[in-house]
Structures are given as C-alpha cells and as structure tokens.
Amino acid sequence: MKTYSVLYLVVAFIIRTIYGIYCRRKFEECTYHLLLDKDLFSEMGKFAGWNFLGSSAFMLNTQGVNMLMNIYFGVAANAARGIAVQVDSAVKSFANSFTTAINPQITKSYSAGELDYMYQLVCRGAKFSAFLFLFIAVPIVLETPTILKIWLKTVPEYTIVFVRLIVFSSFVDSLLGNSFWTAIMATGKIKGYQIVIAIVGVMVFPFSWLCFEFGCGSESTYIVYIIIYCIALLVRLYFMKVLLYMPLSYFFRDVLGRVAGVMLLTFIIPLPLLLVLDGGWIRLSVVCLCSLLVTSAVVYTIGLTQSEKVTVTSKLKKIVQRFS
C-alpha cells in the first residue's frame, strides 16, 4: 500500500512537470516569477478553502457510506459497491469528455462578459453530457446481469441493483455537472454556493445511516443519493440564477425537457428484446447495437435543436468525405 501511494505521487508529479514544460515552450505568456502578493494569496486561499469544504462533503458521502455498508451489511456489500463504483467511473469518464473541451470556453465567455453565449455553452454541456452518458448507460442498465457475469464470472450479492442505481444517480448528477460547476467557479463567488451544496450533499451520510438503522436494505443509500442529487440540482440552478442571472427557462426548455424525453425512449424501445431473447452473448450484442441505433436516432430527432442538427449533419458529412 505504501509503495502504491509513493508511485501514485510520482506519477502525479511527472504529469505536472510535463504540463509545465509544455506550457512554457508553447505559450509565451506562461512564465515563472517569484511573487509575494498577500492579497492574491489570500484570495486563492479562500477559494481553495471553500472548495475543500465541498470536497470534504464528497469524501464523507463516499468513504463514510463505505464504512456504514461494512458495519451493517458486511464485506460482501462493500465489494459489490466497489464494483458498482468502477462501472460508474467508466461511464462518467466517457460522458465528461465533452465538458472537458467546453469548460475553458465557459470561463472565457464569462470573463468577456458574453453571458448569453455562456448560457448556451453551459446548457449544451449539460445536455450533451447526458446524451453521451445514455449511449453507455442504456445497454449497461438493461444488460447488467449478463455484463457482470461475463466480467466477474461469480457476481457478488447486491452488485446488480447497485450498478443500476448508481448509474441512474450519476445520470441525474450529470444534468448539472461539470459545465454548471465551471460557470459558478468562474465567478469566484463560491462561498455561499460551497456552504449550501456541502450541507445538502453531506446529508447522504446521515440519511443513509438512518435508513440502515431502521432496517432498510443496502440499496436504500442509492435512493438517498438520487433524492439528494435532485435537491442539489435545484440548488445549482438557484445559484446560476443568482450569480450569473441565467433565466431558468434555458435549462428547463433546452436541457431537462429534451433529455427526459430522450431518456424515456432510449430505455423503453430496446426493452422488448429482453423479453423475446434468451440471456447471453447474442442478446447482449443485439441490445447494445439496438441501444446505439435508438439512442442516436432519438437524440438527433428530439434531443437536438434545429441549429444543432445542422452542425451535426455538416460534421458527419465532412467525416464521410474524408474517408470516402
């Protein structure tokens, strides 16, 4: 364990060094100067401190709930939770790839005072992250037993329901994930936001504890997660309106309405295949292919605005011409 920790630190240091060398060579404005600016240090310290508050709440919701799982349900439940977290992390990394590219534009547009453009970027970031999430989440949720059996051979108890619930809770979180967080961070006025979101987020731990204490099943913690994430979504929307003056109609019209419709159809349309076909490689392949085609068609049909359809169509044409 000590060796792993040291190697992890070394890898992080090497990556940071490579970033520094690359930026110094490629960007003239990236230079190093010894500077002791008390006001700047104070501002950065406050920013980092309030960020730490939110990170602490996240740690309690993950490691704290792991401890509760171990106490009330034993090692088997913790192992199942660990597997579910691995699946969830893989899905999240794919969905967050879009917001990684769009986040710098959000910060830049806020700095330039282009708020309307920033609203569009934030909403598109949330919407496309949700769509990308569905491309992976739909087949995983529909075929969880088969996928886990192929992967693990022997599937621990609780794992199937944990995977399905954690993927759904992460989908709710993706609706107001990185793009909205980036927009709020760009203001620098994060004290109130971090306090409120930390208070809301940390409620996962005590409510999970209460559920376990009153005899609820181990999966009840994910029900708590989903409820808390929904409340956190409303909190983020409130701060987007207060700090950035974003009309909430942007989100409800351009994101929530379209994403909800796409989600329902992408899960419902492939569902009959589970009833008609026997479980196994053949059904898994058919369900994955059907989910991919259905999600693509539904996203394009009802998930995109007319201008987004034109952009996507032109991009696809360029790709086809390049390989033709």
Side-chain angles (χ1 to χ4, degrees), residues 133-297:
F133 197 97
L134 286 174
F135 275 101
I136 304 298
V138 172
I140 287 178
V141 170
L142 294 179
E143 284 287 2
T144 304
T146 304
I147 293 172
L148 290 177
K149 188 174 181 180
I150 293 170
W151 178 26
L152 303 172
K153 304 300 182 183
T154 302
V155 181
E157 188 181 3
Y158 310 113
T159 308
I160 294 173
V161 66
F162 280 7
V163 168
R164 285 172 168 166
L165 286 174
I166 198 172
V167 168
F168 183 75
S169 64
S170 291
F171 176 75
V172 174
D173 188 49
S174 72
L175 289 175
L176 279 179
N178 288 340
S179 57
F180 279 75
W181 179 85
T182 301
I184 293 173
M185 292 298 107
T187 66
K189 304 172 184 177
I190 64 171
K191 177 180 177 181
Y193 169 77
Q194 290 288 16
I195 290 174
V196 176
I197 206 70
I199 292 173
V200 172
V202 82
M203 289 295 106
V204 171
F205 180 80
F207 280 116
S208 295
W209 195 346
L210 285 174
C211 288
F212 296 160
E213 189 67 28
F214 283 101
C216 297
S218 56
E219 67 278 2
S220 61
T221 187
Y222 292 106
I223 306 299
V224 173
Y225 268 111
I226 293 170
I227 294 172
I228 295 300
Y229 280 163
C230 289
I231 296 173
L233 185 149
L234 297 176
V235 170
R236 290 190 179 109
L237 282 177
Y238 169 78
F239 278 96
M240 286 295 295
K241 183 176 178 61
V242 171
L243 297 178
L244 294 160
Y245 314 107
M246 188 185 88
L248 298 186
S249 59
Y250 271 88
F251 175 77
F252 289 108
R253 183 187 67 241
D254 297 338
V255 180
L256 189 60
R258 293 180 183 274
V259 169
V262 170
M263 183 191 69
L264 289 175
L265 291 175
T266 51
F267 275 103
I268 291 173
I269 294 176
L271 201 57
L273 294 173
L274 302 181
L275 305 176
V276 175
L277 301 175
D278 295 328
W281 275 103
I282 295 177
R283 192 180 76 178
L284 175 62
S285 302
V286 172
V287 168
C288 288
L289 179 60
C290 179
S291 298
L292 178 62
L293 295 175
V294 168
T295 304
S296 300

